Amino acid sequence: MIDLTTAKELPNGYGGSEAKKTLLFNDKVYMVKFPDPVRNSKISKLDYINNQISEDIGCKIFKSVGIETQNTFLATYTERTGKNKIVVACEDFCIPNRLALKEFKSLALAVTDGNVNSPTSIEFINEVLQKSDFIENKKEFFEKFWDMFVVDALIGNKDRHLGNFGLIVGEKGLSFSSIYDCGSSLSPLMSDEEMTQTLNQEGNFLSYEYNIPSVFKYKEKRIFYHEIFKNPPKELANAIFRIVPKIDMEKINIIIQNVEGVSNTRKEYLAKSVELRYNKIHKTAYKELSKLQNELKH
């Protein structure tokens, strides 16, 4: 695993919940995320959340289906205290092309009076798009949002809020940015011990990894991925047709198995959880929608 301890540190301009550094490595600028400390011992037996592991694997799974995503790799970093930690290095995708990244939240604040700090709705996102004069191709933007939603369902992302996806400011206005912030996916709060126990209890495993909520609401109801895929709105149905055929579970398993610094227990758990959601949510929805489409043709 690469050691970033001696990489040149630059002034840090990144926000968010995790501790971060800006490092120059091999002539590229990286936002380096450190594992979050667990602030509530009742939530997890971990000392540190595995958010950096989830960030790396989640982004690589997005890439595997052809969605533009930040480049990441796991590395080690030794702090001044002597603690050596596994971190995730996220290449800054704005700097090479002199682009600017804006969170979707900032656009929402600019064009609506909505409360963007609370869990929001799909309808609110559409409202922001329709009111914005800065996004020319609104249809394409909304399609990319739903493509992201499909993969978030696959990796079990519980926290894709308005600050965790963004827009690129370019000469032609605002467009959907590369995917970033996947750290709340793939069960980052579970310890290896908890994963072993859950794998040995099929009912608990199904409950934890199938009944996963999105951060969004739809028609005033909190979205659970498995529920909305059973009766998807038209935009989601179209995204299912676009993305599900591109999901290659063999490729995803290779991504997970090749992660350095991760126990075999965690690899097994993550691989089985993604496969569970693929089979019971994505594959099932695709088959049902295809069947319905064929019936309508005849």
Side-chain angles (χ1 to χ4, degrees), residues 6 24 28 50 52 55-56 94 97 109 153 178 205 227 253 255 278 289:
T6 59
L24 182 66
K28 292 181 179 179
N50 290 287
Q52 81 285 33
E55 182 77 41
D56 183 56
C94 292
N97 299 310
L109 284 168
S178 298
F205 178 69
E227 291 179 350
N253 283 326
I255 289 170
Y278 171 68
L289 288 170

Side-chain angles (χ1 to χ4, degrees), residues 104-109 112-120 124 128 161-163:
F104 190 83
K105 181 178 178 179
S106 64
L107 178 65
L109 284 168
T112 74
D113 296 324
N115 180 6
V116 299
N117 292 315
S118 62
T120 188
F124 179 72
V128 172
H161 56 70
L162 299 184

Side-chain angles (χ1 to χ4, degrees), residues 158-213:
K158 299 178 182 180
D159 197 34
R160 181 72 71 187
H161 56 70
L162 299 184
N164 279 350
F165 66 100
L167 310 101
I168 289 294
V169 182
E171 293 180 358
K172 296 183 179 180
L174 301 177
S175 58
F176 206 91
S177 79
S178 298
I179 300 297
Y180 60 94
D181 268 339
C182 298
S184 294
S185 61
L186 299 165
S187 305
L189 276 169
M190 291 186 74
S191 66
D192 285 7
E193 179 186 351
E194 290 167 324
M195 286 183 169
T196 298
Q197 291 173 352
T198 305
L199 283 171
N200 291 332
Q201 299 171 338
E202 187 175 342
N204 284 345
F205 178 69
L206 181 64
S207 176
Y208 289 151
E209 298 301 334
Y210 178 68
N211 299 312
I212 292 180

Side-chain angles (χ1 to χ4, degrees), residues 107-176:
L107 178 65
L109 284 168
V111 301
T112 74
D113 296 324
N115 180 6
V116 299
N117 292 315
S118 62
T120 188
S121 67
I122 299 298
E123 292 88 349
F124 179 72
I125 292 171
N126 192 38
E127 176 191 349
V128 172
L129 286 178
Q130 299 311 315
K131 288 184 175 180
S132 173
D133 295 327
F134 306 108
I135 300 175
E136 290 188 358
N137 195 333
K138 293 177 171 59
K139 181 175 181 293
E140 180 184 30
F141 190 99
F142 211 30
E143 285 177 353
K144 289 188 175 183
F145 168 83
W146 282 112
D147 290 349
M148 177 180 68
F149 186 93
V150 170
V151 182
D152 275 338
L154 184 67
I155 63 177
N157 195 342
K158 299 178 182 180
D159 197 34
R160 181 72 71 187
H161 56 70
L162 299 184
N164 279 350
F165 66 100
L167 310 101
I168 289 294
V169 182
E171 293 180 358
K172 296 183 179 180
L174 301 177
S175 58
F176 206 91

Side-chain angles (χ1 to χ4, degrees), residues 221-240:
K221 182 182 178 182
R222 181 75 179 269
I223 292 173
F224 280 79
Y225 289 119
H226 70 277
E227 291 179 350
I228 196 169
F229 270 68
K230 289 177 182 176
N231 186 25
K234 181 180 178 181
E235 295 88 351
L236 174 56
N238 291 337
I240 290 169

Side-chain angles (χ1 to χ4, degrees), residues 64-65 150 237-249 278 282-283 286 290:
S64 75
V65 299
V150 170
N238 291 337
I240 290 169
F241 278 124
R242 286 193 299 270
I243 299 299
V244 172
K246 298 177 182 178
I247 297 174
D248 185 334
M249 284 307 304
Y278 171 68
H282 296 72
K283 201 172 177 181
Y286 184 80
S290 298

